[in-house]
Amino acid sequence: MAKPGVAVPKDHPTIAALYDGAKKEGKVSWWDQHDQAVAQKFIDGFQKQFPGVTVEFFEGTQDVLKARSIQEARAGKVSFDFIDTGQNWTDYGVNKIVDSSTDFKDLLALAGVDPTFIVDGTYSPEFTVVGSAYNTDLVQEEELPKDFDGFSNPKWKGKLAVEARLRPYVYGTPFMGGEDQVVEMLKRLKENNPRPTDGDTKSQGLLVAGEFPVLIGAYLQRSIMMKNKPWGFVPFTEVYSTVPRQGYIVPNGAPHPNAGKLYMWWFMGPEGQALTDAERFKGNPAPGTGTGPSKYLEQHKMTVKFAPIEYDLNYDKYLRKYLEALGLPVT
């Protein structure tokens, strides 16, 4: 058994047997949303470790992948070996793509995945961490507050933008004292006239262009796009993420099941996760996982708290209430 963050070596009997089977199958078919250039780095990394097994990649949106995979399952002829179930878990269950036999917790443990993040025998390796960002030309780090309520201080009046999805407040709800406390906090923030912005990429662009000094509601993963730009992640003592949903599977009826499982082991192991880090900076941010986000938070003495799934499932309910408190239009 591997411990979290450490995979068994590839000559481990289970992995060696999968490789033998995969070489006979010859290939693995991976369906995902990554663009081709990012996917190619994973393909090259895997094929270097496991010569004789070719990766075929099909790129599509989650909706396209869902429609196509369900159509194949209903026809009784699945052509893919590795796919992210994402928000499609329930529909995949109805169509028998997943069931009690698609449980990969033992294989994931051999890849070094922390069992606390395994959901229904699957793992989703990408996490977003939400906090706030600032323009390093306009604000000194020592001026910044240690928590979100610090931006209620009158000295920040006219200097703030807030991304209108209000993610840190929704995901931070259970850690900020509950809904009523968050509403009170947002009413205090409203006094500083924060400028509402829409969409992460656009908002971050305005921030580094100097349109405003601080953006409340920014993702840590943006740091890889912001190298050599006046961008910093506000070093709050606490930032937020969500517990993962169901993740990747090798489906029932996969044409190359050994290759699919071998690819899963590699993809979820340290090498695949290092690529997820380098290309996406979205590895598991929990302490001790050894990912880029985890190390970043530890170095900056920041703690990440994971909101329970109900905050994702009831997102709009919280969002409406919080937009109202800020005096912003409820869409």
Side-chain angles (χ1 to χ4, degrees):
M1 201 65 163
K3 67 176 201 273
V6 182
V8 297
K10 63 181 183 180
D11 61 5
H12 180 282
T14 303
I15 307 309
L18 287 175
Y19 185 27
D20 282 345
K23 279 189 285 196
K24 294 185 181 86
E25 292 163 355
K27 66 179 180 184
V28 56
S29 174
W30 170 30
W31 291 11
D32 215 329
Q33 300 178 73
H34 299 323
D35 65 55
Q36 190 65 47
V38 170
Q40 194 59 49
K41 294 186 178 178
F42 286 90
I43 293 167
D44 293 345
F46 175 79
Q47 291 180 168
K48 190 176 170 189
Q49 284 293 333
F50 296 104
V53 187
T54 309
V55 182
E56 287 182 356
F57 180 68
F58 173 67
E59 179 192 349
T61 63
Q62 199 156 52
D63 288 343
V64 166
L65 297 176
K66 174 182 170 181
R68 189 165 160 171
S69 55
I70 288 175
Q71 190 182 1
E72 287 193 358
R74 285 178 180 161
K77 193 152 175 54
V78 168
S79 70
F80 56 95
D81 304 299
F82 188 64
I83 197 168
D84 186 5
T85 58
Q87 287 135 23
N88 302 331
W89 180 261
T90 308
D91 295 314
Y92 282 177
V94 169
N95 289 281
K96 311 279 190 291
I97 293 170
V98 297
D99 60 21
S100 59
S101 63
T102 52
D103 183 322
F104 303 101
K105 64 177 175 297
D106 295 342
L107 182 63
L108 293 168
L110 295 178
V113 174
D114 184 338
T116 51
F117 292 99
I118 294 174
V119 181
D120 289 330
T122 72
Y123 180 59
S124 177
E126 294 200 342
F127 293 71
T128 52
V129 175
V130 287
S132 298
Y134 67 105
N135 183 309
T136 53
D137 289 344
L138 302 176
V139 182
Q140 298 299 308
E141 188 177 319
E142 50 275 12
E143 298 172 62
L144 293 162
K146 285 293 172 201
D147 61 26
F148 283 90
D149 203 21
F151 284 127
S152 308
N153 185 314
K155 77 171 187 176
W156 294 103
K157 191 160 193 163
K159 296 180 177 177
L160 305 171
V162 61
E163 204 285 310
R165 291 290 294 162
L166 305 184
R167 283 190 196 282
Y169 297 103
V170 175
Y171 294 153
T173 299
F175 314 110
M176 292 174 172
E179 281 175 74
D180 295 344
Q181 296 291 328
V182 176
V183 165
E184 291 308 312
M185 189 192 301
L186 291 168
K187 285 178 178 169
R188 291 191 288 275
L189 184 67
K190 183 184 174 189
E191 298 301 309
N192 283 339
N193 303 331
R195 167 182 166 177
T197 63
D198 183 29
D200 183 66
T201 309
K202 188 170 94 181
S203 305
Q204 306 271 12
L206 294 170
L207 175 72
V208 294
E211 289 280 321
F212 37 78
V214 172
L215 173 66
I216 300 174
Y219 295 125
L220 178 60
Q221 76 238 30
R222 287 289 165 251
S223 57
I224 59 172
M225 293 162 58
M226 294 295 178
K227 290 197 169 85
N228 309 316
K229 291 185 177 156
W231 187 93
F233 197 59
V234 177
F236 288 140
T237 49
E238 197 172 277
V239 287
Y240 307 109
S241 188
T242 50
V243 296
R245 292 184 176 190
Q246 293 90 352
Y248 285 84
I249 55 144
V250 176
N252 282 320
H256 316 100
N258 291 295
K261 288 173 190 167
L262 184 67
Y263 192 65
M264 177 185 283
W265 175 81
W266 177 86
F267 190 87
M268 301 308 183
E271 194 178 343
Q273 288 303 279
L275 274 172
T276 295
D277 247 11
E279 297 302 318
R280 314 266 291 168
F281 207 63
K282 291 174 80 173
N284 188 336
T289 54
T291 65
S294 173
K295 288 175 184 165
Y296 180 96
L297 296 174
E298 284 173 19
Q299 281 160 8
H300 293 83
K301 299 184 169 52
M302 300 166 79
T303 301
V304 62
K305 297 277 180 79
F306 294 90
I309 194 78
E310 67 165 286
Y311 292 92
D312 245 345
L313 300 177
N314 300 300
Y315 198 91
D316 290 344
K317 179 190 88 166
Y318 294 102
L319 180 61
R320 282 196 291 273
K321 190 169 185 176
Y322 295 166
L323 285 169
E324 218 164 85
L326 259 182
L328 295 179
V330 177
T331 44

